[in-house]
Amino acid sequence: MAFRPETAKPLNELVDVLLRGPHTLTQAERELIATYVSAQNECRYCQTIHGAIAAHHLRGNEDLVVNPDFYRQRAAIVARNGYAASTIQGPS
Amino acid sequence: MPHISLPEGLPGITSGFAFRPETAKPMRELAEVLLRGANTLTSGEREMIATLVSDRNACHFCQASHRAAAAHHLGGNYELVDAVTRDFQSAPVSPKLRALMAIAAKVQEGGRQVAASDIERARAAGATDVEIHDAVLIAAAFCMFNRYVDGLATFTPHDEQAYDQMGQRMASEGYVRRNA
């Protein structure tokens, strides 16, 4: 991003719209999707950073993202049944 | 038939762009910078990299439209573009572009497939770090565009004439325009 600001600008704007723009999915839910895809792509940097951001949105519920097995199981439930059917949500 | 209610009659990615202008804007701008922005690689060379990646992702809309855009940048030379998708290693392109295409092809398989030796080969052929960066990002961005187009099952025309006209507009007017 720092190396090539010309391409960084639209990339940052795209991520901002997708993950932080007004949406019916929460920011945490969208960050979890990003984290899950990054994990499936075995991109450690993206998985870790978006996992940490998701955890932040989930008010520190890091169990959802820092334990890969736990996280993958939950993400699989989300992928299969959607968020309403899953147990992924911030602590109340 | 598209998986969601996309505007009818718009081909491929343009239907997703019309459906969701908020995401369309940065995606269009990214394509514009990567394929038409100031660069030591020609637009024809960059469109051929985009075509190669789209072909390997089996995204017919992206492959056919960028094939046409590349050909228009190259004075109508569809033969060269097709030689690249058939086998870029034997296609009559410069050693530098061939090495950058090898990197793009690795990125299409998975980012961590790119080896230090691939980068060394590109540098030895005269590629700059910006050119290597852009080859990687064009490949990565087209993996995104390809999956976006096919993940929504957007309308894919099978009329080659339509793609020729599309490519002509992409080459001459670019990706950031009012109605595309």
Side-chain angles (χ1 to χ4, degrees):
Chain A
M1 292 287 191
F3 179 74
R4 192 87 158 94
E6 302 90 332
T7 48
K9 184 175 171 287
L11 284 169
N12 280 327
E13 279 179 24
L14 180 61
V15 174
D16 233 14
V17 170
L18 288 175
L19 299 178
R20 296 172 56 83
H23 210 282
T24 47
L25 295 174
T26 67
Q27 290 185 27
E29 288 172 329
R30 285 175 279 161
E31 290 285 355
L32 283 174
I33 294 172
T35 306
Y36 180 67
V37 170
S38 299
Q40 294 295 110
N41 281 333
E42 297 175 29
C43 182
R44 189 164 186 80
Y45 175 80
C46 295
Q47 181 198 336
T48 308
I49 186 66
H50 288 283
I53 296 165
H56 180 79
H57 286 307
L58 293 163
R59 285 175 277 171
N61 189 359
E62 293 186 358
D63 281 354
L64 285 172
V65 286
V66 297
N67 179 329
D69 290 337
F70 179 86
Y71 169 66
R72 284 199 186 99
Q73 285 171 16
R74 295 304 176 95
I77 295 169
V78 171
R80 209 163 44 235
N81 300 326
Y83 286 98
S86 81
T87 55
I88 292 191
Q89 50 191 256
S92 55
Chain B
M1 185 160 152
H3 292 314
I4 62 173
S5 300
L6 296 173
E8 280 180 37
L10 293 177
I13 204 161
T14 60
S15 62
F17 283 172
F19 180 80
R20 192 90 157 93
E22 301 91 331
T23 47
K25 180 180 172 288
M27 291 178 82
R28 285 182 175 287
E29 288 170 358
L30 180 62
E32 181 73 15
V33 171
L34 286 175
L35 301 174
R36 290 168 43 90
N39 205 300
T40 46
L41 297 172
T42 68
S43 285
E45 289 174 324
R46 287 175 279 162
E47 289 282 3
M48 283 198 284
I49 295 174
T51 306
L52 173 67
V53 170
S54 301
D55 182 67
R56 291 184 172 216
N57 281 327
C59 180
H60 184 75
F61 175 80
C62 296
Q63 179 274 125
S65 56
H66 288 279
R67 168 181 177 263
H72 279 281
H73 281 299
L74 299 164
N77 194 348
Y78 277 100
E79 292 75 19
L80 180 59
V81 188
D82 292 344
V84 163
T85 47
R86 212 164 36 241
D87 177 19
F88 68 86
Q89 297 286 12
S90 66
V93 296
S94 71
K96 179 176 83 176
L97 183 58
R98 196 173 301 132
L100 292 171
M101 285 175 170
I103 292 171
K106 291 277 191 82
V107 171
Q108 186 273 330
E109 293 171 21
R112 284 179 298 102
Q113 300 301 312
V114 180
S117 56
D118 296 317
I119 305 299
E120 282 164 23
R121 181 181 152 208
R123 284 209 179 110
T128 65
D129 280 8
V130 171
E131 289 169 341
I132 293 167
H133 171 280
D134 285 8
V136 169
L137 187 53
I138 289 167
F142 273 80
C143 286
M144 170 178 70
F145 292 130
N146 298 162
R147 283 155 178 71
Y148 178 52
V149 162
D150 287 333
L152 289 172
T154 61
F155 166 57
T156 302
H158 287 280
D159 168 15
E160 290 311 309
Q161 192 61 31
Y163 287 110
D164 185 65
Q165 288 170 9
M166 234 181 277
Q168 197 272 329
R169 281 194 73 193
M170 289 154 71
S172 63
E173 296 172 34
Y175 298 99
V176 180
R177 45 195 147 107
R178 267 196 304 278
N179 299 303

